C-alpha cells in the first residue's frame, strides 16, 4: 500500500498456536502504521489469551453459537468498510465469516496454500513460498502490504492476579512445566507415554531440584495424564483443567522450561520467551515447532517418516504428518533429560 491504510481487518480465529503465530504479524503492522485502526476477528477461546492488548479491536466469535453467531458477527460488520481484509485462515468457517467483511482488498494465501476454496473469497494473494515455518508464511501478509518484517514480538499482557497465581505455584523454585497432551483430534498420534513423562519429572526433581507443574485442559484424556503423572510423582503440582489461558501464560512466562508435544502451549511459551523442549515425531518442527530457539526441540520426525512412511523427509510434502500410534515412541526419555541437563547447565 502506498498510503497507510486507515483500517485493517485481521481474520484468524484459531487455534491457540496459530493465533500466537499471527500476533507478531499484527504487531509488525502496528509498528509500521501506528495510526491504522486494526480489527481482529478471533475465536472466543483465543481471545481470552489476547484480551487486554492495546491498539487492537477484537471481535470474538464463538463457533458453538451456530448460525446465530455468524448472523450476530455479520450485523456488527454490516455498516463498516475496511481498506483491507487479511484472510489468514484456510478454513471454510473463516471464509463464511469473511463474507460479512466489506473490504477493497481481500488478501489471502497463494493458490497452492489456499485450501478449502479460500481463493474464492479473496481478490489478492500473498507471494507463493514453499517449506517455511507457519509464522513465516503469515508474515507474507505484512510484506504483501508493504510492512517490512521485524524481530517478532508478542507482549501479551497478564494481570497482577495472574502473575501472583503463577508465582504461588512455582514456590520460588525453577519450574519445569509439563503440558503432556496435544489436541483431542490428534491424541492417538502426538502424545508421549505417561511413563516417560514420569521419568522426566523425577529426573528434574532429583537432579535439579525443580518444581514440576503439570498443565492441560479439562478433557478426560488430559485429566488422566495429569493424574497419572502426579500420582507417581507426588511432588508435582497438578493444574490440569485448573487454569485460564492467561494464568497458563503467566505460568509459562515464569517457568524455566516447558516440555510438550506439538500443541498450543508450545507457542505460548515461545511467545513468553521460555525455552521449549518440544517433542516432535508426527509433525515437522521446522514448520510447526517453537519459532525461537529450536535447538532444544527433540526432532524424531525424519526417523518417523522413514520408518512409518518408507521415505526420506525431503521426499514428503512440507505439511505431511505421520499418523501412526507408535511414532512418538521414537522419542526416548534420554532425548528429553539430556536436553534438560544441557539447557540448565547453560543457564
Amino acid at each position: 500500500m502506498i498510503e497507510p491504510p486507515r483500517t485493517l481487518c485481521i481474520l484468524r480465529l484459531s487455534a491457540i498456536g496459530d493465533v500466537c503465530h499471527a500476533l507478531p504479524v499484527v504487531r509488525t503492522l502496528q509498528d509500521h502504521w501506528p495510526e491504522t485502526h486494526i480489527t481482529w476477528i478471533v475465536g472466543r477461546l483465543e481471545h481470552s489469551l489476547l484480551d487486554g492488548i492495546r491498539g487492537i479491536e477484537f471481535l470474538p466469535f464463538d463457533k458453538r453459537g451456530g448460525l446465530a453467531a455468524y448472523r450476530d458477527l455479520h450485523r456488527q460488520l454490516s455498516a463498516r468498510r475496511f481498506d483491507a481484509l487479511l484472510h489468514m485462515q484456510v478454513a471454510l468457517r473463516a471464509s463464511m465469516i469473511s463474507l460479512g467483511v466489506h473490504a477493497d482488498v481481500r488478501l489471502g494465501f497463494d493458490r497452492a496454500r489456499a485450501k478449502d476454496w479460500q481463493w474464492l473469497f479473496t481478490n489478492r494473494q500473498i507471494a507463493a513460498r514453499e517449506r517455511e515455518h507457519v509464522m513465516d508464511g503469515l508474515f507474507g501478509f505484512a510484506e504483501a502490504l508493504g510492512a517490512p518484517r521485524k524481530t517478532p514480538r508478542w507482549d501479551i499482557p497478564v494481570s497482577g492476579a495472574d502473575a501472583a497465581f503463577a508465582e504461588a505455584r512455582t514456590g520460588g523454585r525453577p519450574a519445569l512445566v509439563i503440558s503432556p497432551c496435544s489436541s483431542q483430534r490428534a491424541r492417538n498420534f502426538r502424545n508421549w507415554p505417561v511413563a516417560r513423562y514420569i521419568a522426566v519429572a523425577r529426573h528434574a526433581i532429583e537432579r535439579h531440584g525443580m518444581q514440576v507443574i503439570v498443565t492441560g485442559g479439562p478433557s478426560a484424556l488430559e485429566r488422566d495424564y495429569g493424574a497419572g503423572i502426579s500420582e507417581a510423582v507426588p511432588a508435582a503440582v497438578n493444574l490440569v483443567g485448573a487454569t485460564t489461558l492467561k494464568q497458563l501464560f503467566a505460568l509459562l512466562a515464569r517457568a524455566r522450561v516447558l516440555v510438550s508435544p506439538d500443541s498450543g502451549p508450545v507457542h505460548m511459551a515461545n511467545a513468553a520467551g521460555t525455552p521449549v523442549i518440544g517433542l516432535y515425531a508426527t509433525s515437522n518442527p521446522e514448520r510447526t515447532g517453537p519459532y525461537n530457539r529450536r535447538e532444544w526441540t527433540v526432532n524424531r520426525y525424519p526417523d518417523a517418516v522413514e520408518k512409518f512412511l518408507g521415505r526420506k523427509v525431503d521426499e514428503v510434502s512440507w505439511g505431511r504428518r505421520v499418523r501412526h500410534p507408535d511414532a512418538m515412541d521414537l522419542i526416548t526419555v534420554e532425548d528429553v533429560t539430556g536436553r534438560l541437563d544441557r539447557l540448565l547447565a547453560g543457564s
Side-chain angles (χ1 to χ4, degrees):
M1 290 187 166
I2 298 174
E3 298 293 333
R6 294 175 296 103
T7 56
L8 290 176
C9 182
I10 310 296
L11 177 52
R12 180 76 224 191
L13 300 173
S14 59
I16 295 294
D18 291 314
V19 166
C20 288
H21 293 325
L23 180 56
V25 180
V26 179
R27 290 297 200 189
T28 294
L29 296 171
Q30 284 184 300
D31 293 343
H32 191 63
W33 292 310
E35 301 302 319
T36 297
H37 183 86
I38 296 176
T39 300
W40 188 340
I41 303 173
V42 67
R44 179 193 59 82
L45 175 65
E46 291 74 11
H47 175 248
S48 69
L49 174 63
L50 303 182
D51 189 28
I53 293 179
R54 295 183 178 181
I56 302 175
E57 175 197 17
F58 291 103
L59 296 181
F61 174 78
D62 187 355
K63 64 180 180 182
R64 297 178 304 175
L67 290 176
Y70 288 91
R71 289 195 296 267
D72 181 62
L73 183 59
H74 285 184
R75 279 196 297 269
Q76 293 181 65
L77 295 166
S78 61
R80 304 175 62 173
R81 189 166 193 88
F82 299 91
D83 292 330
L85 163 68
L86 277 59
H87 190 344
M88 292 184 171
Q89 186 154 356
V90 286
L92 188 57
R93 180 175 70 249
S95 291
M96 295 305 295
I97 288 175
S98 78
L99 293 175
V101 179
H102 307 290
D104 299 324
V105 174
R106 303 176 63 84
L107 184 62
F109 285 98
D110 58 281
R111 187 64 177 268
R113 290 181 286 181
K115 310 297 183 183
D116 286 355
W117 303 289
Q118 192 212 45
W119 56 274
L120 291 173
F121 299 85
T122 62
N123 57 19
R124 303 285 192 280
Q125 289 76 42
I126 64 174
R129 290 177 180 163
E130 297 180 347
R131 296 185 176 268
E132 62 182 2
H133 193 278
V134 171
M135 188 188 298
D136 292 322
L138 294 177
F139 264 112
F141 284 85
E143 293 166 350
L145 295 183
R149 183 187 306 205
K150 295 184 178 180
T151 301
R153 71 177 181 93
W154 289 264
D155 298 334
I156 298 174
V158 295
S159 68
D162 292 333
F165 172 92
E167 184 175 0
R169 271 65 184 178
T170 59
R173 297 160 59 192
L176 166 67
V177 174
I178 296 176
S179 181
C181 297
S182 187
S183 66
Q184 283 284 78
R185 181 182 60 186
R187 64 184 180 274
N188 294 326
F189 305 107
R190 295 188 199 172
N191 294 331
W192 208 38
V194 172
R196 300 190 187 184
Y197 282 118
I198 292 170
V200 170
R202 286 173 173 163
H203 179 87
I205 293 170
E206 294 168 6
R207 179 161 181 173
H208 300 290
M210 302 186 80
Q211 174 65 67
V212 173
I213 302 171
V214 188
T215 65
S219 71
L221 176 70
E222 291 165 292
R223 290 189 185 278
D224 287 345
Y225 262 78
I229 297 170
S230 60
E231 288 172 6
V233 187
V237 176
N238 184 1
L239 293 180
V240 173
T243 64
T244 66
L245 279 182
K246 285 287 193 183
Q247 289 171 335
L248 176 58
F249 184 79
L251 190 64
L252 292 171
R254 192 169 183 80
R256 183 65 189 88
V257 59
L258 167 72
V259 173
S260 179
D262 187 5
S263 63
V266 164
H267 307 293
M268 290 173 62
N270 180 78
T274 298
V276 178
I277 300 177
L279 309 181
Y280 283 76
T282 65
S283 55
N284 187 351
E286 295 304 311
R287 179 179 179 272
T288 62
Y291 192 78
N292 297 327
R293 303 180 67 184
R294 260 168 275 168
E295 69 267 26
W296 304 117
T297 297
V298 179
N299 183 10
R300 294 296 184 187
Y301 176 70
D303 302 324
V305 168
E306 186 168 355
K307 182 173 182 177
F308 299 111
L309 301 182
R311 304 172 73 180
K312 299 293 184 182
V313 70
D314 57 359
E315 296 173 344
V316 299
S317 62
W318 187 238
R320 181 69 180 272
R321 297 189 183 278
V322 181
R323 299 188 181 279
H324 194 285
D326 297 333
M328 291 296 285
D329 289 342
L330 295 174
I331 299 173
T332 67
V333 170
E334 292 72 25
D335 285 334
V336 179
T337 57
R339 281 168 175 75
L340 179 63
D341 292 346
R342 291 195 299 274
L343 191 154
L344 295 176
S347 63

